[in-house]
Amino acid sequence: MEIALYHPEHGYYESNRAAVGQRGDFYTSVSVGELFGQLLAFQFAGWLDELGTRNAERGTADAPLQIVEAGAHDGQLAEDILLWLRKRRPDLLERVEYWLLDPSPRRQEWQRERLSIFAPRVKWFANWGEVQQAGGVTGVIFANELLDALPVHRLAWSGAEQRWFEWGVRTIGERFMWTRLPELHANVAVLAQPSAALGGLDESLRESSWVSLAPVLPDGFILERMPFAEFWWSIAAQSLRHGKLMTFDYGHTSGDAINPSKPHGTLRAYRDHQLVDDILAVPGTQDITAHVNFAAVTHAGARAGLATVELTEQSRFLTRIAQRTMQQPAGFGEWPRERVRQFQTLTHPDHLGRSFSALVQERC
Ligand SMILES: C[S@@+](CC[C@H](N)C(=O)[O-])C[C@H]1O[C@@H](n2cnc3c(N)ncnc32)[C@H](O)[C@@H]1O
């Protein structure tokens, strides 16, 4: 998954600038239009104002504030947020730096092109080490649909052996095939311990009532584990000095990662807005993604000292912001028909409303 998506030359996200949106392979909230970014900008401005007040109480009123976006792809969301801040909160934009975190020089280049008019306020970082060297973050760190695009381990339950094994990928001639690995990768090897399915699972799953079902799971039951996403989130949390860490994504929100009635896992591929049958068919030309395990991600943040503000449906999160904008029309602007249309697409259960969740954690 890592090579298929991120190989410097052939990786899907390296070679597909237009991956997201109508001309691409899948929609995100960003491709619906500028409203998503405008609502986020309004919310972030509120959080940054609160932080500014708290900084003043701490005697650090002039301390710089940051908005950090990870996984910005072509920079569209950053542009929507920055344009709104410039128009509606120029006072705040004067005090805020927009940091983009992206390991890929090519994607950074796409983002630089798009955001050139904001040049002095925007900075790029390749990894969390660089962010920490710059002093960490006081402000807001966020990502939209990043965690679901990080590589996963694909485990399967062997009913006969009463243990988990791992599916890997090998080549046969010109084709890629699933193959049973002789050993579990160290990242997930804890699952193989003799206490069978129960003892080795991480805290989030152990707490789940589904775990007691593990020994009676159907043979071949698939469970993805995402140590990269959990690791990513915990480093993000460690890099946050004060403020909020948040993500929008789709995934399991309540210990439902092990559900015997859904035995095939969530790993899937998209091309031209269609689900692709064979995930391995044409790597580099299709998106590959899996559900985020929000319980595990939330634990990773908590272990790094963050408090959980909320884990809620994206539609609810956005609706609350929209309600507040209507109480302050001078601050946000009117709601013409086009804005209403975008809002409906973002929140309606038949569009993006049902499937996405928002997780917010904080360090005061
Ligand atoms: C599904 S796209 C989402 C794009 C955009 N956020 C949106 O909502 O339209 C995920 C993006 O995250 C980028 N990405 C992958 N790994 C990353 C990492 N470790 N740090 C930052 N960005 C990463 C991918 O290359 C891709 O551009």
Side-chain angles (χ1 to χ4, degrees), residues 16-84:
N16 276 293
R17 185 170 180 164
V20 186
Q22 181 124 32
R23 289 180 300 128
D25 296 305
F26 59 96
Y27 291 109
T28 69
S29 302
V30 182
S31 37
V32 171
E34 64 284 358
L35 180 65
F36 183 63
Q38 293 172 344
L39 290 172
L40 291 193
F42 182 84
Q43 176 63 73
F44 294 171
W47 285 340
L48 292 168
D49 286 341
E50 283 169 22
L51 266 176
T53 309
R54 235 174 280 151
N55 278 350
E57 287 163 9
R58 290 184 190 113
T60 54
D62 295 333
L65 298 170
Q66 296 89 29
I67 297 174
V68 183
E69 181 181 354
H73 198 64
D74 65 353
Q76 177 66 64
L77 180 55
E79 183 180 43
D80 295 340
I81 291 173
L82 284 162
L83 283 173
W84 187 89

Coordinates of all heavy atoms in Angstrom, one line a residue, residues 16-84:
N16 N -0.7 11.7 -9.4 CA -2.1 12.2 -9.7 C -2.4 13.4 -9.0 O -3.1 13.4 -7.9 CB -3.1 11.1 -9.2 CG -3.2 10.0 -10.3 OD1 -3.8 10.2 -11.3 ND2 -2.7 8.8 -9.9
R17 N -2.1 14.6 -9.6 CA -2.4 15.8 -8.9 C -3.9 16.0 -8.8 O -4.5 16.6 -7.9 CB -1.8 17.0 -9.8 CG -2.0 18.3 -9.1 CD -1.2 19.3 -9.9 NE -1.3 20.6 -9.3 CZ -0.5 21.7 -9.6 NH1 0.5 21.5 -10.4 NH2 -0.7 22.8 -9.0
A18 N -4.6 15.5 -9.8 CA -6.1 15.6 -9.9 C -6.8 14.4 -9.4 O -7.9 14.1 -9.8 CB -6.5 15.9 -11.3
A19 N -6.2 13.7 -8.4 CA -6.8 12.5 -7.9 C -8.2 12.8 -7.2 O -9.1 12.0 -7.3 CB -5.9 11.8 -6.8
V20 N -8.3 13.9 -6.5 CA -9.5 14.2 -5.8 C -10.4 15.1 -6.6 O -9.9 16.1 -7.2 CB -9.0 15.0 -4.5 CG1 -10.2 15.2 -3.6 CG2 -7.9 14.3 -3.7
G21 N -11.7 14.8 -6.5 CA -12.7 15.7 -7.2 C -13.3 15.1 -8.4 O -13.0 13.9 -8.8
Q22 N -14.0 15.9 -9.1 CA -14.8 15.4 -10.3 C -13.9 14.7 -11.3 O -14.3 13.7 -11.8 CB -15.5 16.6 -10.9 CG -16.4 16.3 -12.1 CD -17.8 16.7 -11.9 OE1 -18.0 17.8 -11.3 NE2 -18.7 16.0 -12.4
R23 N -12.8 15.3 -11.7 CA -11.9 14.7 -12.7 C -11.1 13.6 -12.1 O -10.4 12.9 -12.9 CB -11.0 15.8 -13.3 CG -11.8 16.8 -14.2 CD -10.8 17.8 -14.7 NE -10.1 18.6 -13.7 CZ -8.8 18.8 -13.6 NH1 -8.0 18.2 -14.5 NH2 -8.3 19.5 -12.6
G24 N -11.1 13.4 -10.8 CA -10.3 12.4 -10.2 C -11.0 11.1 -10.0 O -11.9 10.7 -10.7
D25 N -10.6 10.4 -8.9 CA -11.2 9.1 -8.6 C -12.1 9.1 -7.4 O -12.9 8.1 -7.2 CB -10.0 8.1 -8.3 CG -9.1 8.0 -9.5 OD1 -9.7 7.6 -10.6 OD2 -7.9 8.3 -9.4
F26 N -12.1 10.1 -6.6 CA -13.0 10.1 -5.4 C -13.2 11.6 -5.0 O -12.4 12.4 -5.3 CB -12.5 9.3 -4.3 CG -11.1 9.7 -3.8 CD1 -11.0 10.6 -2.7 CD2 -9.9 9.3 -4.4 CE1 -9.8 11.0 -2.2 CE2 -8.7 9.8 -3.9 CZ -8.6 10.6 -2.8
Y27 N -14.3 11.8 -4.3 CA -14.6 13.1 -3.8 C -14.2 13.2 -2.3 O -14.3 12.2 -1.6 CB -16.1 13.4 -3.8 CG -16.7 13.6 -5.2 CD1 -17.5 12.6 -5.7 CD2 -16.4 14.7 -5.9 CE1 -18.0 12.8 -7.0 CE2 -16.9 14.9 -7.2 CZ -17.7 13.9 -7.7 OH -18.2 14.1 -9.0
T28 N -13.7 14.4 -1.9 CA -13.6 14.6 -0.4 C -14.5 15.9 -0.1 O -15.0 16.5 -1.1 CB -12.2 14.9 0.0 OG1 -11.8 16.2 -0.6 CG2 -11.2 13.8 -0.5
S29 N -14.6 16.2 1.1 CA -15.4 17.4 1.5 C -14.8 18.7 0.8 O -15.5 19.6 0.5 CB -15.3 17.6 3.0 OG -15.8 16.5 3.6
V30 N -13.5 18.6 0.5 CA -12.9 19.8 -0.1 C -13.4 19.9 -1.6 O -13.6 21.1 -2.1 CB -11.3 19.6 -0.1 CG1 -10.6 20.8 -0.7 CG2 -10.8 19.3 1.3
S31 N -13.6 18.8 -2.3 CA -14.0 18.9 -3.7 C -15.5 19.4 -3.8 O -15.9 19.7 -4.9 CB -13.8 17.6 -4.4 OG -14.0 16.5 -3.6
V32 N -16.2 19.4 -2.7 CA -17.6 19.9 -2.8 C -17.6 21.4 -3.1 O -18.6 21.9 -3.7 CB -18.3 19.6 -1.4 CG1 -19.7 20.3 -1.4 CG2 -18.5 18.1 -1.2
G33 N -16.6 22.1 -2.6 CA -16.5 23.6 -2.9 C -15.8 24.2 -1.7 O -15.4 23.6 -0.8
E34 N -15.9 25.6 -1.7 CA -15.1 26.3 -0.7 C -15.7 26.3 0.7 O -15.0 26.7 1.6 CB -14.7 27.7 -1.2 CG -15.9 28.7 -1.4 CD -16.7 28.4 -2.7 OE1 -16.4 27.5 -3.4 OE2 -17.8 29.1 -2.9
L35 N -17.0 25.9 0.8 CA -17.7 26.1 2.1 C -17.0 25.3 3.2 O -16.9 25.8 4.3 CB -19.1 25.6 2.0 CG -19.9 25.8 3.3 CD1 -20.0 27.2 3.7 CD2 -21.3 25.1 3.2
F36 N -16.5 24.1 2.9 CA -15.9 23.3 4.0 C -14.7 24.1 4.6 O -14.6 24.2 5.8 CB -15.4 22.0 3.3 CG -14.8 21.0 4.3 CD1 -15.5 20.5 5.4 CD2 -13.5 20.6 4.2 CE1 -15.0 19.6 6.3 CE2 -12.9 19.7 5.1 CZ -13.6 19.2 6.1
G37 N -13.9 24.6 3.7 CA -12.7 25.4 4.2 C -13.2 26.7 5.0 O -12.6 27.0 6.0
Q38 N -14.3 27.3 4.5 CA -14.7 28.5 5.1 C -15.3 28.2 6.5 O -15.0 28.9 7.5 CB -15.8 29.1 4.3 CG -15.3 29.7 3.0 CD -16.4 30.1 2.0 OE1 -17.6 29.8 2.2 NE2 -16.0 30.9 1.0
L39 N -16.0 27.1 6.7 CA -16.5 26.7 8.0 C -15.4 26.4 8.9 O -15.4 26.7 10.1 CB -17.5 25.5 7.9 CG -18.8 25.8 7.2 CD1 -19.6 24.6 7.0 CD2 -19.7 26.8 8.0
L40 N -14.4 25.7 8.4 CA -13.2 25.3 9.2 C -12.5 26.6 9.7 O -12.1 26.8 10.8 CB -12.3 24.4 8.5 CG -12.7 23.0 8.2 CD1 -11.5 22.1 7.8 CD2 -13.4 22.4 9.4
A41 N -12.3 27.5 8.7 CA -11.6 28.8 9.0 C -12.4 29.5 10.2 O -11.7 30.0 11.1 CB -11.5 29.6 7.8
F42 N -13.7 29.5 10.1 CA -14.5 30.2 11.1 C -14.2 29.5 12.5 O -14.0 30.2 13.5 CB -16.0 30.1 10.7 CG -16.9 30.8 11.6 CD1 -17.1 32.2 11.5 CD2 -17.5 30.1 12.6 CE1 -18.0 32.8 12.4 CE2 -18.4 30.8 13.5 CZ -18.7 32.1 13.4
Q43 N -14.3 28.2 12.5 CA -14.1 27.5 13.7 C -12.6 27.7 14.3 O -12.4 27.9 15.4 CB -14.3 26.0 13.5 CG -14.1 25.1 14.7 CD -15.0 25.4 15.9 OE1 -16.1 25.1 15.9 NE2 -14.4 26.1 16.9
F44 N -11.7 27.5 13.4 CA -10.3 27.7 13.8 C -10.0 29.1 14.4 O -9.3 29.3 15.3 CB -9.3 27.5 12.6 CG -9.3 26.0 12.1 CD1 -8.6 25.7 10.9 CD2 -9.9 25.0 12.8 CE1 -8.6 24.4 10.4 CE2 -9.9 23.7 12.3 CZ -9.3 23.4 11.1
A45 N -10.7 30.1 13.7 CA -10.5 31.5 14.2 C -11.0 31.6 15.6 O -10.3 32.2 16.5 CB -11.3 32.4 13.3
G46 N -12.1 30.9 15.9 CA -12.6 30.9 17.3 C -11.6 30.3 18.3 O -11.3 30.8 19.3
W47 N -11.1 29.1 17.9 CA -10.1 28.4 18.7 C -8.9 29.3 18.9 O -8.3 29.3 20.0 CB -9.8 27.1 18.1 CG -10.8 26.0 18.3 CD1 -11.9 26.0 19.2 CD2 -11.0 24.8 17.5 NE1 -12.6 24.9 19.0 CE2 -12.1 24.1 18.0 CE3 -10.2 24.2 16.5 CZ2 -12.5 22.9 17.5 CZ3 -10.7 23.0 15.9 CH2 -11.8 22.4 16.4
L48 N -8.4 29.9 17.8 CA -7.2 30.7 17.9 C -7.4 31.9 18.8 O -6.5 32.4 19.5 CB -6.7 31.1 16.5 CG -6.2 29.9 15.7 CD1 -6.0 30.2 14.2 CD2 -4.9 29.3 16.3
D49 N -8.6 32.5 18.7 CA -8.9 33.7 19.6 C -8.8 33.3 21.0 O -8.2 34.0 21.9 CB -10.3 34.2 19.3 CG -10.4 35.0 18.0 OD1 -9.3 35.4 17.5 OD2 -11.5 35.2 17.4
E50 N -9.4 32.1 21.4 CA -9.3 31.6 22.7 C -7.9 31.4 23.2 O -7.5 31.8 24.3 CB -10.0 30.3 22.9 CG -11.5 30.3 22.9 CD -12.1 28.9 22.8 OE1 -11.5 27.9 23.1 OE2 -13.3 28.8 22.3
L51 N -7.1 30.8 22.3 CA -5.7 30.6 22.6 C -4.9 31.9 22.8 O -4.1 32.0 23.7 CB -5.0 29.8 21.5 CG -4.9 28.3 21.6 CD1 -4.3 27.8 20.3 CD2 -4.1 27.9 22.8
G52 N -5.3 32.9 22.0 CA -4.7 34.2 22.1 C -5.0 34.8 23.5 O -4.1 35.4 24.1
T53 N -6.2 34.7 23.9 CA -6.6 35.2 25.2 C -5.8 34.5 26.3 O -5.3 35.1 27.3 CB -8.1 35.0 25.5 OG1 -8.8 35.5 24.3 CG2 -8.6 35.6 26.7
R54 N -5.7 33.1 26.2 CA -5.0 32.4 27.2 C -3.5 32.7 27.2 O -2.9 32.8 28.2 CB -5.2 30.9 27.0 CG -5.7 30.2 28.2 CD -6.0 28.7 28.0 NE -7.3 28.6 27.3 CZ -7.6 27.6 26.6 NH1 -6.7 26.6 26.3 NH2 -8.8 27.5 26.0
N55 N -2.9 32.9 26.0 CA -1.5 33.4 25.9 C -1.3 34.7 26.7 O -0.3 34.9 27.4 CB -1.1 33.5 24.5 CG -0.7 32.2 23.9 OD1 -0.6 31.2 24.5 ND2 -0.5 32.2 22.5
A56 N -2.3 35.6 26.5 CA -2.2 36.9 27.2 C -2.2 36.7 28.7 O -1.4 37.3 29.4 CB -3.4 37.8 26.7
E57 N -3.1 35.8 29.2 CA -3.1 35.5 30.6 C -1.8 34.9 31.1 O -1.4 35.1 32.2 CB -4.2 34.5 30.9 CG -5.6 35.2 30.8 CD -6.7 34.1 30.7 OE1 -6.5 32.9 30.9 OE2 -7.9 34.5 30.4
R58 N -1.1 34.1 30.2 CA 0.1 33.5 30.6 C 1.3 34.5 30.4 O 2.5 34.2 30.6 CB 0.5 32.3 29.7 CG -0.4 31.1 29.9 CD 0.1 30.0 29.0 NE -0.8 28.9 29.0 CZ -1.5 28.5 27.9 NH1 -1.4 29.1 26.8 NH2 -2.4 27.5 28.0
G59 N 1.0 35.7 29.9 CA 2.1 36.7 29.7 C 2.8 36.5 28.4 O 3.9 37.0 28.2
T60 N 2.2 35.7 27.5 CA 2.9 35.5 26.2 C 2.0 35.9 25.0 O 1.8 35.2 24.1 CB 3.3 34.0 26.0 OG1 2.0 33.2 26.2 CG2 4.3 33.5 27.0
A61 N 1.4 37.1 25.2 CA 0.4 37.6 24.2 C 1.0 37.6 22.8 O 0.2 37.4 21.9 CB 0.0 39.0 24.6
D62 N 2.3 37.8 22.6 CA 2.8 38.0 21.3 C 3.3 36.6 20.7 O 3.8 36.6 19.6 CB 4.0 38.9 21.2 CG 3.5 40.3 21.6 OD1 2.3 40.6 21.3 OD2 4.3 41.1 22.1
A63 N 3.1 35.5 21.4 CA 3.6 34.2 20.9 C 2.9 33.9 19.6 O 1.7 34.1 19.5 CB 3.3 33.2 22.0
P64 N 3.6 33.4 18.6 CA 3.0 33.1 17.3 C 2.0 31.9 17.4 O 2.2 31.1 18.3 CB 4.2 32.8 16.4 CG 5.3 32.5 17.4 CD 5.1 33.2 18.7
L65 N 1.0 32.0 16.6 CA 0.0 30.9 16.5 C 0.2 30.2 15.1 O 0.5 30.9 14.1 CB -1.4 31.5 16.6 CG -1.7 32.2 18.0 CD1 -3.0 32.9 17.9 CD2 -1.7 31.2 19.1
Q66 N -0.2 28.9 15.1 CA -0.1 28.2 13.8 C -1.4 27.5 13.5 O -2.0 27.0 14.4 CB 1.1 27.2 13.8 CG 2.4 27.8 14.0 CD 2.9 27.9 15.4 OE1 2.4 27.2 16.3 NE2 3.7 28.9 15.7
I67 N -1.7 27.4 12.2 CA -2.6 26.4 11.7 C -1.7 25.4 10.9 O -1.0 25.8 10.0 CB -3.7 27.0 10.8 CG1 -4.6 28.0 11.5 CG2 -4.5 25.8 10.2 CD1 -5.5 28.7 10.6
V68 N -1.8 24.1 11.3 CA -1.0 23.1 10.6 C -1.9 22.1 9.8 O -2.7 21.5 10.5 CB -0.1 22.3 11.6 CG1 0.8 21.4 10.8 CG2 0.7 23.3 12.4
E69 N -1.7 22.1 8.5 CA -2.5 21.1 7.8 C -1.6 20.0 7.3 O -0.6 20.3 6.6 CB -3.2 21.8 6.6 CG -4.1 20.8 5.8 CD -4.7 21.4 4.5 OE1 -4.7 22.6 4.3 OE2 -5.3 20.6 3.8
A70 N -2.0 18.8 7.5 CA -1.2 17.7 7.0 C -2.0 17.0 5.9 O -3.2 16.9 6.0 CB -0.9 16.7 8.1
G71 N -1.3 16.5 4.9 CA -2.0 15.8 3.8 C -2.8 16.7 2.9 O -3.9 16.4 2.5
A72 N -2.2 17.9 2.6 CA -3.0 18.9 1.9 C -3.1 18.7 0.4 O -3.8 19.4 -0.3 CB -2.3 20.3 2.1
H73 N -2.5 17.6 -0.1 CA -2.5 17.2 -1.5 C -2.2 18.4 -2.4 O -1.0 18.9 -2.4 CB -3.8 16.6 -1.9 CG -3.7 15.8 -3.2 ND1 -2.8 14.7 -3.3 CD2 -4.2 16.0 -4.4 CE1 -2.8 14.2 -4.5 NE2 -3.7 15.0 -5.2
D74 N -3.1 19.0 -3.1 CA -2.8 20.1 -4.1 C -3.0 21.5 -3.4 O -2.9 22.5 -4.1 CB -3.6 20.0 -5.4 CG -5.1 20.1 -5.1 OD1 -5.5 20.2 -3.9 OD2 -5.9 20.2 -6.1
G75 N -3.3 21.5 -2.1 CA -3.4 22.8 -1.4 C -4.8 23.5 -1.5 O -4.9 24.6 -1.1
Q76 N -5.8 22.8 -2.1 CA -7.1 23.5 -2.3 C -7.7 23.9 -0.9 O -8.2 25.1 -0.8 CB -8.0 22.5 -3.0 CG -9.4 23.1 -3.2 CD -9.5 24.3 -4.1 OE1 -9.1 24.1 -5.3 NE2 -9.8 25.4 -3.6
L77 N -7.7 23.0 0.0 CA -8.3 23.4 1.3 C -7.6 24.5 2.0 O -8.2 25.4 2.6 CB -8.4 22.1 2.2 CG -9.0 22.3 3.6 CD1 -10.4 22.9 3.5 CD2 -9.0 21.0 4.4
A78 N -6.2 24.5 1.9 CA -5.4 25.6 2.5 C -5.8 26.9 1.9 O -6.0 27.9 2.5 CB -3.9 25.3 2.3
E79 N -6.0 26.9 0.5 CA -6.4 28.1 -0.2 C -7.8 28.6 0.3 O -7.9 29.8 0.6 CB -6.4 27.9 -1.7 CG -6.7 29.2 -2.4 CD -6.7 28.9 -3.9 OE1 -7.3 27.9 -4.4 OE2 -6.2 29.8 -4.7
D80 N -8.7 27.7 0.4 CA -10.1 28.1 0.9 C -10.0 28.7 2.3 O -10.7 29.7 2.6 CB -11.0 26.9 0.9 CG -11.2 26.3 -0.5 OD1 -11.0 27.1 -1.5 OD2 -11.6 25.1 -0.6
I81 N -9.2 28.1 3.2 CA -9.1 28.6 4.5 C -8.4 30.0 4.6 O -8.9 31.0 5.2 CB -8.3 27.6 5.4 CG1 -9.2 26.4 5.6 CG2 -8.0 28.2 6.8 CD1 -8.5 25.2 6.4
L82 N -7.3 30.1 3.8 CA -6.5 31.4 3.8 C -7.3 32.5 3.2 O -7.3 33.6 3.7 CB -5.2 31.2 3.1 CG -4.2 30.4 4.0 CD1 -3.0 29.8 3.1 CD2 -3.6 31.3 5.1
L83 N -8.1 32.2 2.1 CA -8.9 33.3 1.5 C -9.9 33.8 2.4 O -10.2 35.0 2.5 CB -9.5 32.7 0.2 CG -8.6 32.6 -1.0 CD1 -9.3 31.9 -2.2 CD2 -8.1 34.0 -1.5
W84 N -10.5 32.9 3.2 CA -11.6 33.3 4.1 C -10.9 34.2 5.2 O -11.5 35.2 5.6 CB -12.3 32.1 4.7 CG -13.5 32.5 5.6 CD1 -14.8 32.7 5.2 CD2 -13.4 32.9 7.0 NE1 -15.5 33.2 6.2 CE2 -14.7 33.3 7.4 CE3 -12.4 32.9 8.0 CZ2 -15.1 33.7 8.6 CZ3 -12.8 33.3 9.3 CH2 -14.1 33.7 9.6

